[in-house]
Amino acid sequence: MTSKILGGETDRVDGPAKVTGRAQYASDHNMPGMAYGYVVLSTIGRGRIREMDTEAALRAPGVAAVYTPFSTFKLYAPLPGYPENFSPLQDRTVRYRGQIIALVMAESFEQARDAAALVVTHYDSEDPNVSLAAGSPGISAPGRPGAPPARSTLLAPGVKSLDEALAASKVTVEATFPQAAQHHVAMEPHATVAVWRDGHLTAYTGSQFPARHAVSLATQLGVAAERVRVICPYVGGGFGSRVICWSEAPLAAAAALELERPVKLVLTREQVFTVVGHRGALTQTVRLGALADGTLNAVSHESDAAMPVVGGWPSRPADDISAVLYKTPNLAIDQRVVPLDISPTWAMRAPNEAPGAFAVETAMDELAVALNIDPLELRLRNYATVVPGTTHPWSSKHLRECYEVGAKRFGWSKRRARPRSRTEGQWLIGTGMATAIYPAGRGPASARIRFHDDGTVTVASATSDLGTGSTTALAVLTADALGIPVRRITPLLGDTALPPGAAAAGSSATGSTTPAIQSAAQAAIKALVDTATTHPDSPFRGKEPDEVRYRNGFLSTHSNDAISFATLLKVTQTSGVEAVGSSEARTDNGSYAYHGFGAHFCEVRVNRYTGEPRVNRFTTVVDVGQVVNAKTTRSQIIGGVIFGIGHALLETNPIEATGRLASSNLGDYLVPVNADIPDLDVHWLNHPDTIYTPQGARGVGELGTVGSAAAVGNAVYNATGIRIRELPITLDKLLD
């Protein structure tokens, strides 16, 4: 039977709390006797701290303590594989500009901030290595669990090299795509409120993965993981920046332990730019070779990515784009990293896929121009039904339908192929398109469902909601599983005291949590039936469990009238019945590939006199399996596309020779605002992926970001005839 809840237009369950200000984010928590922290950052790019003068700071009003490498508490090394391979304030080495080198504690934020300005630091400075170009080509990128080698070659029989395959191609395209650092700039700055009671730590902080956050904190503090609780029911954005635990959290916790009082540590907007990671600078070179009919004969994708000496996210853009997107008999991938003295890089919404798609999808547009083939037709001629080099089909793939539906909704057939052939007054008008693809991951998750005697149900899981709609998804999935209205469901999440939840990362939270909720619902219904058949006051006492039927909140048998679960619990004087259900990470024998897909179509206008680029229209169609909630799905697709438009036209943070990131504030680091974004036309197909999960729901959060920047860039070329390969596409690059 088709669900009447899944895919419907359900309002956000947490919406009223957010719009009325009742939702408490990390820094909204205030405790009696609380101290406030303010961090001091290094002003050199590499070297060593010779001395620090903290006397004036210690004498400043309200100051409780000043912690530096010369006078500090003990923090242990972070978990292996975490971005930073050191803990703050444990030595005098300066590894990058913007590193935390001191922590000032005071009775108010303002007092801590003012005292921090009085700390004087003397360095033995060295010239940092910060140039990606100077360090290229780099060394082979480090591996990730389950990822293919960073360097690999797939050749057709009889072909000796990728260069040979390119030489045999009728048309070739080669292009290089540099990209500077980009930043998450979530609305909520990173913050932690740390409270110790009876040897146990409670940390109120924003996290996309509360369980991992707690383990990381315990590791750096040197305490057992069960002594750390992380609470984050509301998270003001993350985009990857809150997947792991950054330095402000262990600093706040250690200071709270030292001072024996609660501590609040909130990073300023400028501090967030260096302390919590960013999408690293990246240079990619793509070479494509095609036959006369447009079918690809060879694909080469090389990249050099910034890799901080202190650790970070090793960008591997070809793994999730060139290796899986288009069919080709010859494929070569070489993904390298360049060690640099910069702040840690980290995963940012579609971390490999967004930059990788910009390079590949721009190169595909260039190939279409060289072949005089429609860009959409070129992609259809290279449509992959199995992963290149394998016999593995996708669990579900309807990308061809995304192309068809998107083209019709956008009016792609009216496109003019010749650049600068369409004008409106002083504006040049152009259109472009690109493909989106994103892996469908699935991790372990647990959920607890409890029936209450007032007719309501709670569902609890220690996942988190950073604005993606997880709170509402939990309610919708539970309502669907139990057959009762969403209004009677209370979701609980963002607390490590709850059953272990999925990470809100990699667009995998919904896909991971859905089967756990189904399992919990079945177990809770069984527990309810057990109560019905065994409790002495139950009207179903003595019945066999298989005689009692649960349906839409009611229990019945052939000989008994239906009663609600609330009535059953009241007559048996049982306040509630609950059960926990779990699901494992997806395991298979490699028979299938799992991805979400999409197609972007964009129209831009470029002022012929000033070079100003603007987006006129944008259509995106995605294939993400079963949609859980139409409202939040629409919001996620729109948000992803806006992310891509920001990358295409606005966002960049170049690094200076000193190691200073030049645009580390919201005055200089530009992100899209309402005036930059037109009405976006987004649509999704309805093809549940029941191989991925029985319910068929895949993730959607990052898919819209993949390829959307390329669609904008390709439209700019169609409008102007100018091909921009280095983001962002700013007006100075379009003045010819």
Side-chain angles (χ1 to χ4, degrees):
M1 183 177 64
T2 303
S3 171
K4 295 181 180 180
I5 299 176
L6 288 184
E9 297 275 351
T10 303
D11 291 341
R12 285 182 182 261
V13 174
D14 52 343
K18 289 181 174 179
V19 300
T20 59
R22 290 186 286 110
Q24 282 199 311
Y25 294 83
S27 64
D28 292 328
H29 291 86
N30 295 299
M31 309 292 171
M34 188 162 63
Y36 295 78
Y38 194 94
V39 295
V40 178
L41 307 184
S42 63
T43 56
I44 65 168
R46 186 173 71 174
R48 190 168 177 82
I49 300 171
R50 187 186 325 125
E51 60 181 351
M52 299 182 76
D53 183 352
T54 61
E55 290 186 9
L58 286 166
R59 293 195 304 266
V63 170
V66 178
Y67 300 107
T68 73
F70 300 92
S71 176
T72 190
F73 34 67
K74 176 64 177 175
L75 286 175
Y76 296 87
L79 288 168
Y82 261 48
E84 292 181 305
N85 50 29
F86 71 101
S87 285
L89 310 187
Q90 303 305 297
D91 59 44
R92 292 186 286 150
T93 301
V94 175
R95 298 159 175 87
Y96 59 88
R97 183 162 181 152
Q99 175 185 321
I100 295 175
I101 59 172
L103 171 65
V104 177
M105 301 302 307
E107 300 302 318
S108 71
F109 171 82
E110 291 77 12
Q111 288 175 331
R113 178 198 60 199
D114 294 348
L118 301 176
V119 175
V120 178
T121 305
H122 300 279
Y123 304 95
D124 294 319
S125 180
E126 303 174 37
D127 292 333
N129 297 316
V130 297
S131 171
L132 178 63
S136 299
I139 59 177
S140 188
R144 301 196 309 267
R151 184 176 185 178
S152 63
T153 303
L154 167 70
L155 297 175
V159 178
K160 297 180 180 179
S161 69
L162 198 285
D163 288 338
E164 180 183 302
L166 285 167
S169 301
K170 179 69 174 179
V171 175
T172 60
V173 165
E174 178 175 347
T176 297
F177 304 89
Q179 178 177 298
Q182 296 173 337
H183 296 263
H184 307 84
V185 290
M187 185 177 294
E188 178 193 14
H190 285 61
T192 297
V193 174
V195 183
W196 289 89
R197 291 190 182 93
D198 302 323
H200 289 72
L201 170 67
T202 300
Y204 301 90
T205 186
S207 176
Q208 294 177 236
F209 197 174
R212 178 61 60 165
H213 201 107
V215 172
S216 181
L217 268 175
T219 299
Q220 290 188 267
L221 295 167
V223 301
E226 56 267 23
R227 292 172 56 191
V228 178
R229 180 182 181 187
V230 169
I231 299 177
C232 54
Y234 298 100
V235 181
F239 315 116
S241 72
R242 288 185 161 96
V243 172
I244 49 84
C245 175
W246 296 97
S247 294
E248 104 282 345
L251 283 175
L257 189 61
E258 285 283 313
L259 297 174
E260 298 183 341
R261 57 192 294 196
V263 161
K264 178 185 289 190
L265 176 54
V266 182
L267 298 181
T268 66
R269 179 63 66 185
E270 291 81 1
Q271 291 168 347
V272 168
F273 274 84
T274 62
V275 173
V276 305
H278 61 277
R279 193 197 302 275
L282 181 70
T283 297
Q284 303 174 79
T285 298
V286 175
R287 294 183 294 164
L288 303 178
L291 304 180
D293 64 356
T295 56
L296 288 169
N297 183 52
V299 174
S300 169
H301 191 162
E302 299 181 14
S303 63
D304 283 293
M307 184 64 187
V309 173
V310 300
W313 177 271
S315 184
R316 297 170 47 130
D319 280 355
D320 299 310
I321 296 296
S322 294
V324 293
L325 187 49
Y326 297 115
K327 64 179 180 180
T328 178
N330 301 288
L331 172 67
I333 288 171
D334 191 1
Q335 299 166 114
R336 304 176 294 262
V337 294
V338 177
L340 297 175
D341 301 312
I342 60 174
S343 59
T345 54
W346 190 243
M348 179 173 169
R349 198 172 194 172
N352 296 312
E353 298 79 5
F358 176 74
V360 171
E361 289 300 279
T362 303
M364 284 290 284
D365 197 71
E366 297 191 44
L367 182 62
V369 171
L371 289 163
N372 194 28
I373 294 176
D374 182 275
L376 176 55
E377 178 60 29
L378 179 66
R379 287 161 173 82
L380 290 170
R381 294 183 188 184
N382 292 284
Y383 193 87
T385 56
V386 297
V387 177
T390 76
T391 58
H392 302 153
W394 277 270
S395 57
S396 177
K397 181 179 182 181
H398 300 274
L399 175 58
R400 190 183 301 276
E401 187 177 347
C402 291
Y403 289 143
E404 294 169 354
V405 173
K408 184 176 181 180
R409 293 174 71 95
F410 183 79
W412 181 257
S413 62
K414 299 177 182 178
R415 173 182 181 270
R416 298 181 185 179
R418 184 169 59 86
R420 303 181 75 95
S421 61
R422 181 183 166 197
T423 61
E424 293 179 5
Q426 60 184 342
W427 297 95
L428 305 172
I429 310 298
T431 55
M433 60 85 56
T435 307
I437 184 171
Y438 192 82
R442 177 179 158 189
S446 297
R448 182 177 66 237
I449 288 179
R450 181 176 179 84
F451 291 100
H452 297 273
D453 62 2
D454 62 357
T456 64
V457 172
T458 54
V459 54
S461 183
T463 187
S464 62
D465 187 339
L466 56 153
T468 51
S470 295
T471 305
T472 308
L474 260 64
V476 169
L477 290 166
T478 304
D480 178 69
L482 299 180
I484 62 177
V486 171
R487 66 177 182 274
R488 290 168 58 188
I489 309 293
T490 300
L492 304 173
L493 73 172
D495 187 339
T496 53
L498 304 174
S507 299
S508 64
T510 299
S512 302
T513 304
T514 300
I517 289 178
Q518 287 287 329
S519 174
Q522 293 167 8
I525 290 172
K526 181 180 183 301
L528 191 67
V529 170
D530 288 345
T531 298
T533 57
T534 60
H535 197 284
D537 296 328
S538 169
F540 302 103
R541 185 190 180 191
K543 299 289 186 181
E544 292 298 323
D546 58 4
E547 293 182 78
V548 180
R549 181 186 184 191
Y550 172 90
R551 181 178 175 83
N552 298 338
F554 289 83
L555 296 101
S556 64
T557 67
H558 291 300
S559 57
N560 294 73
D561 292 334
I563 64 170
S564 69
F565 69 79
T567 300
L568 173 70
L569 296 177
K570 287 177 181 177
V571 299
T572 59
Q573 301 183 50
T574 305
S575 61
V577 170
E578 67 181 27
V580 174
S582 300
S583 63
E584 301 301 321
R586 187 192 62 238
T587 56
D588 56 66
N589 58 6
S591 300
Y592 295 98
Y594 302 88
H595 286 85
F597 301 92
H600 302 291
F601 298 85
C602 176
E603 179 183 273
V604 302
R605 66 186 188 276
V606 179
N607 191 290
R608 65 168 70 241
Y609 302 117
T610 67
E612 176 191 3
R614 307 292 294 180
V615 176
N616 270 355
R617 295 188 295 126
F618 208 107
T619 294
T620 294
V621 178
V622 299
D623 167 29
V624 292
Q626 171 67 59
V627 165
V628 173
N629 180 20
K631 282 193 174 182
T632 50
T633 295
R634 184 178 297 108
S635 176
Q636 284 297 288
I637 300 170
I638 289 173
V641 170
I642 291 172
F643 232 71
I645 293 173
H647 291 179
L649 300 180
L650 297 169
E651 297 181 49
T652 185
N653 199 351
I655 193 166
E656 299 171 348
T658 61
R660 175 180 175 268
L661 285 164
S663 302
S664 295
N665 60 76
L666 288 184
D668 296 318
Y669 187 84
L670 304 180
V671 295
V673 297
N674 287 352
D676 298 308
I677 305 299
D679 287 337
L680 302 178
D681 173 35
V682 300
H683 181 75
W684 52 87
L685 309 180
N686 185 26
H687 299 292
D689 186 352
T690 54
I691 296 176
Y692 174 66
T693 66
Q695 297 74 33
R698 295 196 301 260
V700 67
E702 292 165 276
L703 184 62
T705 301
V706 183
S708 45
V712 174
N714 294 337
V716 167
Y717 170 78
N718 183 249
T720 65
I722 302 171
R723 182 70 70 180
I724 306 299
R725 302 183 181 92
E726 181 175 6
L727 297 180
I729 303 169
T730 48
L731 56 87
D732 56 300
K733 298 173 183 175
L734 295 172
L735 292 173
D736 56 357

